[in-house]
Structures are given as structure tokens and as C-alpha cells.
């Protein structure tokens, strides 16, 4: 009875942990969108900053409660649009201070000419707005909150000096918090939030028909990170004693590790012990030798560690590839693109896409070993688009420009598309050029693809079946483009 209860408790705990991981993953995916991140930052940082200023106001007479309205609206403007025209700490502090000084000057001038009157002086209010507009224009400090501080100084009475000093202190505090947040978090959000920039370091390459270009493309991706590693995987029909012994000897001498899947090791050993004479040369030895030679070349050319894994009598299947990737802690698979009879993806690629591991289906049109000019075609600034941009930056290397394009069907959508591309590229460090084109995506890519070494496309697996039926994936429409094509699939992270 106790064992049954204990088992149920453990099962419930496992389900809760899985639910927690799914919820956390869903939250990370949600916050990866720039708009959601900004809304969350506004909800978190604006109240905290205003609370800190309120505490400062209670602790000292320098900060007046009258500065709260312009300070709150200005703080919201900073965090809600950190790349906007008003999102400059110097402009924020200078504009608010200039407004307060102009209001003070207007009030003094109205009193000097005898037009102050009782209550709030209309003359001082008009002069304050005029002086503020002229000063912010001349000093390039155009800031909406400057007009608020200019008018509020009119009701401060004898506390004008304290009000102006409070504007300087409180706005400087907000500006410092904003500058730290923007530099160390918002501008580094790709590093902290985007999963591909922190992962996809261990890359598995299922070799097929000796397609070395795919392995070189994978080495470019893995070599961009210090923790990167390439694992070349292939399947041999039968092992032999000589090939197995040669593999073990080579693995002990060099950095390349040659081993088979755990479930087949006993079978390999038994086969090796019973094999003699003419059976000493087997296909496993040939496969290992070819992969070792390629691995040595990749290590020397791309400065990335490379290992070899060979399965024997396993049959090339997506399940075997995925199992190998998990056993070797791989978070990315770069596989040769395979097309079905009717132009869609082959069952092998579809099987790889139906997993939690990121996959790139790579179609080569030549024997390139470098891809310096990349074109990334996106539909928006979502998860897959960020992954494609990250891979393009890795492959191109520092200093090489990346082109990012999106196609629209109506000019009324241009501004929205331009903002989406700006949000996408702003999170990454590199050189970019963006294109918003009013044209069908297949026609545009067919026209310009020859100017680039590689074209990155999404797999469209994040779309519903109905959506893919109405509008087929872009890669199916671009089967004849004159460049290498990398079809990027984001795994279903559980």
C-alpha cells in the first residue's frame, strides 16, 4: 500500500515538473517577442522607479510631488520605446530640466512686468510654453515632458529652486536606470533570451552519399561558439574484426572519438571475435576511415572539434538519427535536404522535424566551403526568424553583412513590416540590410537568390495544416533558386 502511494506521489511530482518546464518554456517563448518584453519591462521597471523616487521624496525636501506626472510619463516613454526618438538619457534629463528653467524664467518675467496677477498667471503660462518650445528646439531637446515641467513650476510657490533641483535629481536617477537596463539587458536580449544564441552548439550531421558540403556548413555553425562541436554520423552494414580494432586504436590515439550506438556494441564485439581471414575488411571500417578523414579536414579548416559516430546494421532512419543526437547531447541536426516525389519534404526530413531538436535541412547547389553572403527571408520577428538570423550570422562570420527580407502584398503593410524587421535585427550585433518588397516571395527570391551564397527559409512547421494548404511553405515554391538553401525548423521544446 505504501509503495503504491509513494509511486503515485512520484508520478504526480514528475507530471508537475513537466508542466512547470512547459509553462516556463511557453513564458520564454512569449517574452522573446520584443513587444511583450517591452510591455513586461514597463509593468516592472516603471513602478519600481516611481516607487524609488517617491521614497526619495519622502526622505528629502528636494524632490517635490509635483514632478511625478511628467516623470511618470517620461519614464514610460523611455521603457516603452527604447529605440525611439525620445529614448536618450541626455535628452530626457535635459528636456525636463530645460522645461522647468523656462517656466521659472517665464514666471519671473511676468512678475517683473506686473502681469503675474492672482492665482496661476496666464501670461507666465504662455511665456513658459513659448520659451520651452524655443529652447528645446534650439538645443535639440524636444521632449513632451518638458512642457509639463514648465507649467508645473508655476504652482510651486516659493519652492521653485527645490522643484528644479528635484527635476534634475529624479530625472538623472531614471536616466541612469534606463541606460543600465538598455545596455546590459535590452540590447543583450538575444544573449539572455533567444535560445539558439545560447545553444545549438553540438551539431549532428547525418552523412548521406558523402555530401561533405553539408558537414562543412554545420562546422561553420558550430565553430562560431567556443563550445561548438560537430558529430559526423553514418550507418555501416556490417562490422569486421579489423575495422573494429582499427577504430578502437585510432580513437585512443587522436582527438576523434569513434564509437557505435550502445545497443549495438555487444553485437559488434561478437561479430569481431568470430570474424577472420577474408572477412577482415568490412564496410564499417571504410565508413570510419572516410569520416575520420573528413573530420580531420573540418577540424583544421574550421577550428572546431569533430567526432565520428557509426551505427552498424541500424538502417538509416529519423528515429536512429534522433536517438544518436540525444545520446550525444546534440541540440541541432544539420541534414542533407531530401525531397519527396511530389516536391514536399521526404519522410526522413519530416521525421527529424517531428522532434524537440532544432533541425536544418540543407540543400547544396555546389561545393562551397564558405558562405559569406546570406539572405534571410522572414514572415515576421518570431522565434524561427530569430533562429535563422542567428545561424546566418554564425555562418557569415563577423564583418560580413546579412540581408533580411520580407514580402508584402499591399503597400499599406510596409510600415508594419519595416518595424518588424527593425525589431528583429536590433537584437543582434552585426551588419544588416533589410528589404521590404511588394512582390510574391517566390518570384522575389528566384530573382535575387543568385546574388547570395545561402538562402535561409523557415520550415513553416509552426503554421497550421490549413494554413500550409492555403499557402504552401516558401521552400516548396523555391526549388529552382540559384543558391544553397537552409530550411530551419525550431524543435518542439518540451
Amino acid at each position: 500500500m505504501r509503495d503504491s502511494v509513494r509511486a503515485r506521489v512520484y508520478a504526480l511530482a514528475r507530471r508537475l515538473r513537466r508542466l512547470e518546464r512547459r509553462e516556463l518554456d511557453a513564458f520564454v517563448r512569449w517574452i522573446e517577442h520584443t513587444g511583450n518584453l517591452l510591455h513586461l519591462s514597463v509593468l516592472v521597471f516603471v513602478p519600481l522607479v516611481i516607487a524609488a523616487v517617491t521614497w526619495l521624496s519622502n526622505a528629502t525636501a528636494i524632490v517635490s510631488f509635483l514632478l511625478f506626472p511628467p516623470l511618470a510619463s517620461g519614464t514610460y516613454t523611455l521603457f516603452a520605446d527604447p529605440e525611439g526618438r525620445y529614448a536618450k538619457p541626455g535628452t530626457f534629463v535635459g528636456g525636463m530640466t530645460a522645461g522647468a528653467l523656462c517656466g521659472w524664467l517665464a514666471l519671473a518675467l511676468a512678475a517683473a512686468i506686473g502681469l503675474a496677477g492672482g492665482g496661476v498667471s496666464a501670461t507666465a503660462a504662455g511665456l513658459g510654453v513659448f520659451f520651452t518650445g524655443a529652447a528645446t528646439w534650439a538645443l535639440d531637446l524636444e521632449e513632451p515632458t518638458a512642457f509639463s515641467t514648465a507649467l508645473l513650476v508655476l504652482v510651486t510657490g516659493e519652492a521653485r529652486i527645490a522643484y528644479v533641483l528635484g527635476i534634475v535629481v529624479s530625472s538623472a536617477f531614471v536616466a541612469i536606470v534606463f541606460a543600465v537596463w538598455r545596455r546590459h539587458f535590452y540590447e543583450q536580449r538575444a544573449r539572455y533570451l533567444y535560445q539558439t544564441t545560447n545553444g545549438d552548439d553540438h551539431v549532428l550531421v547525418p552523412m548521406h552519399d558523402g555530401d561533405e558540403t553539408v558537414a562543412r556548413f554545420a562546422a561553420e555553425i558550430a565553430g562560431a561558439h567556443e563550445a561548438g562541436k560537430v558529430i559526423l554520423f553514418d550507418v555501416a552494414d556490417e562490422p569486421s574484426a579489423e575495422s573494429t580494432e582499427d577504430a578502437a586504436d585510432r580513437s585512443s590515439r587522436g582527438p576523434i572519438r569513434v564509437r557505435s550506438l550502445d545497443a549495438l556494441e555487444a553485437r559488434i564485439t561478437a561479430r569481431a571475435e568470430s570474424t577472420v581471414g577474408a572477412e577482415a575488411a568490412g564496410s564499417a571500417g571504410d565508413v570510419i576511415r572516410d569520416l575520420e578523414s573528413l573530420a580531420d579536414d573540418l577540424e583544421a579548416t574550421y577550428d572546431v572539434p569533430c567526432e565520428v559516430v557509426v551505427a552498424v546494421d541500424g538502417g538509416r532512419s529519423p528515429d536512429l538519427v534522433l536517438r544518436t543526437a540525444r545520446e550525444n547531447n546534440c541540440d541541432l541536426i544539420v541534414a542533407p535536404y531530401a525531397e519527396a516525389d511530389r516536391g514536399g519534404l521526404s519522410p526522413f526530413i519530416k521525421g527529424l522535424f517531428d522532434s524537440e531538436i532544432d533541425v536544418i535541412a540543407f540543400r547544396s547547389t555546389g561545393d562551397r566551403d564558405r558562405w559569406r553572403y546570406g539572405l534571410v527571408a522572414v514572415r515576421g520577428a518570431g522565434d524561427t526568424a530569430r533562429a535563422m538570423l542567428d545561424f546566418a550570422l554564425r555562418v557569415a562570420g563577423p564583418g560580413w553583412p546579412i540581408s533580411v527580407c520580407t514580402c508584402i502584398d499591399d503597400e499599406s503593410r510596409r510600415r508594419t513590416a519595416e518595424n518588424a524587421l527593425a525589431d528583429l535585427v536590433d537584437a543582434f550585433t552585426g551588419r544588416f540590410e533589410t528589404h521590404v518588397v511588394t512582390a510574391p516571395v517566390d518570384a522575389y527570391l528566384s530573382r535575387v537568390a543568385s546574388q547570395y551564397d545561402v538562402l535561409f527559409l523557415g520550415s513553416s512547421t509552426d503554421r497550421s495544416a490549413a494554413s500550409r494548404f492555403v499557402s504552401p511553405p516558401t521552400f516548396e515554391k523555391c526549388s529552382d533558386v540559384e543558391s544553397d538553401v537552409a530550411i530551419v525548423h525550431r524543435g518542439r521544446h518540451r
Side-chain angles (χ1 to χ4, degrees):
M1 182 67 178
R2 291 181 178 178
D3 293 340
S4 176
V5 173
R6 186 181 295 110
R8 291 180 181 178
V9 171
Y10 288 157
L12 177 60
R14 286 195 298 270
R15 285 195 294 269
L16 291 176
R17 284 195 295 269
R18 287 197 298 269
L19 177 62
E20 182 181 359
R21 286 195 297 268
R22 286 196 297 268
E23 293 297 328
L24 179 60
D25 182 69
F27 174 75
V28 171
R29 295 267 182 131
W30 178 83
I31 202 175
E32 284 181 353
H33 291 269
T34 301
N36 295 335
L37 174 63
L38 293 180
H39 280 103
L40 185 62
S41 296
V42 168
L43 291 177
V44 172
F45 286 98
V46 174
L48 288 177
V49 170
I50 296 303
V53 174
T54 303
W55 175 85
L56 185 62
S57 176
N58 292 329
T60 177
I62 295 179
V63 179
S64 169
F65 283 99
L66 289 175
L67 61 84
F68 281 11
L71 189 66
S73 62
T75 305
Y76 173 85
T77 300
L78 289 177
F79 284 94
D81 190 12
E83 300 296 334
R85 59 178 297 190
Y86 302 121
K88 299 178 182 178
T91 300
F92 176 72
V93 176
M96 292 189 66
T97 304
L101 292 174
C102 288
W104 188 4
L105 174 62
L107 189 59
L109 183 60
I113 61 178
L115 296 177
V120 178
S121 171
T123 302
L127 288 175
V129 171
F130 173 77
F131 290 156
T132 301
T136 54
W137 182 19
L139 299 174
D140 195 22
L141 295 174
E142 293 180 305
E143 179 76 27
T145 53
F147 296 94
S148 298
T149 58
L151 292 175
L152 287 173
V153 76
L154 303 181
V155 296
T156 56
E158 299 299 325
R160 296 163 196 164
I161 297 179
Y163 177 77
V164 174
L165 290 177
I167 288 288
V168 175
V169 172
S170 59
S171 62
F173 172 75
V174 171
I176 291 173
V177 173
F178 169 73
V180 172
W181 171 83
R182 185 172 67 176
R183 169 173 289 187
H184 296 286
F185 179 74
Y186 179 75
E187 293 180 350
Q188 302 294 324
R189 62 190 184 279
R191 173 185 174 188
Y192 296 122
L193 297 179
Y194 300 163
Q195 297 177 21
T196 57
T197 60
N198 298 316
D200 293 331
D201 294 328
H202 293 184
V203 185
L204 181 75
V205 184
M207 299 300 295
H208 181 63
D209 295 334
D211 193 347
E212 296 185 3
T213 306
V214 178
R216 296 184 183 280
F217 185 80
E220 284 275 34
I221 291 177
H225 287 184
E226 292 183 0
K229 180 172 67 174
V230 174
I231 298 177
L232 304 179
F233 172 69
D234 207 344
V235 178
D237 294 333
E238 295 183 3
S240 65
E242 180 180 336
S243 62
T244 306
E245 292 169 359
D246 289 347
D249 182 59
R250 282 191 295 269
S251 65
S252 64
R253 291 199 312 261
I256 300 176
R257 177 164 53 93
V258 181
R259 65 182 181 86
S260 299
L261 295 175
D262 295 339
L264 299 173
E265 286 182 349
R267 194 170 164 189
I268 295 171
T269 303
R271 178 75 175 179
E273 291 175 350
S274 62
T275 303
V276 294
E279 296 179 342
S283 63
D286 295 334
V287 170
I288 290 173
R289 280 189 292 272
D290 291 342
L291 292 185
E292 277 193 318
S293 176
L294 176 59
D296 286 336
D297 186 17
L298 295 180
E299 286 190 333
T301 304
Y302 302 98
D303 191 25
V304 59
C306 189
E307 297 180 358
V308 172
V309 175
V310 176
V312 182
D313 289 341
R316 185 176 283 105
S317 68
D319 290 339
L320 179 60
V321 172
L322 291 171
R323 176 188 164 189
T324 305
R326 296 184 185 108
E327 290 182 349
N328 289 274
N329 297 318
C330 294
D331 42 16
L332 175 65
I333 298 174
V334 178
Y337 175 84
E339 191 175 86
D341 295 336
R342 297 184 179 181
L345 294 173
S346 68
F348 178 78
I349 297 297
K350 288 182 178 179
L352 296 181
F353 282 178
D354 190 24
S355 74
E356 79 285 2
I357 301 176
D358 294 345
V359 179
I360 296 179
F362 185 74
R363 185 179 69 200
S364 174
T365 59
D367 297 325
R368 289 188 179 92
D369 56 5
R370 299 288 182 183
W371 293 263
R372 296 309 188 199
Y373 298 98
L375 174 62
V376 181
V378 302
R379 290 186 291 115
D383 185 42
T384 302
R386 289 189 291 270
M388 289 192 290
L389 189 56
D390 176 52
F391 292 139
L393 287 168
R394 293 203 213 178
V395 170
W400 294 88
I402 300 297
S403 296
V404 186
C405 74
T406 189
C407 292
I408 56 177
D409 52 15
D410 190 273
E411 279 296 316
S412 62
R413 299 181 55 193
R414 178 171 293 275
R415 181 60 61 84
T416 301
E418 290 175 345
N419 291 337
L421 293 186
D423 286 340
L424 176 62
V425 302
D426 181 63
F428 295 87
T429 301
R431 298 172 56 194
F432 304 100
E433 57 181 18
T434 59
H435 307 272
V436 178
V437 185
T438 309
V441 61
D442 53 332
Y444 173 71
L445 295 179
S446 297
R447 187 173 73 250
V448 304
S450 60
Q451 304 172 23
Y452 299 91
D453 297 331
V454 58
L455 168 63
F456 287 86
L457 300 173
S459 63
S460 294
T461 48
D462 56 342
R463 295 165 53 194
S464 65
S467 174
R468 292 195 299 271
F469 177 79
V470 174
S471 178
T474 301
F475 66 83
E476 293 185 6
K477 307 175 186 177
C478 301
S479 58
D480 58 345
V481 295
E482 299 178 5
S483 69
D484 292 350
V485 178
I487 302 170
V488 177
H489 163 76
R490 292 289 282 133
R492 302 192 313 271
H493 296 273
R494 298 183 179 93

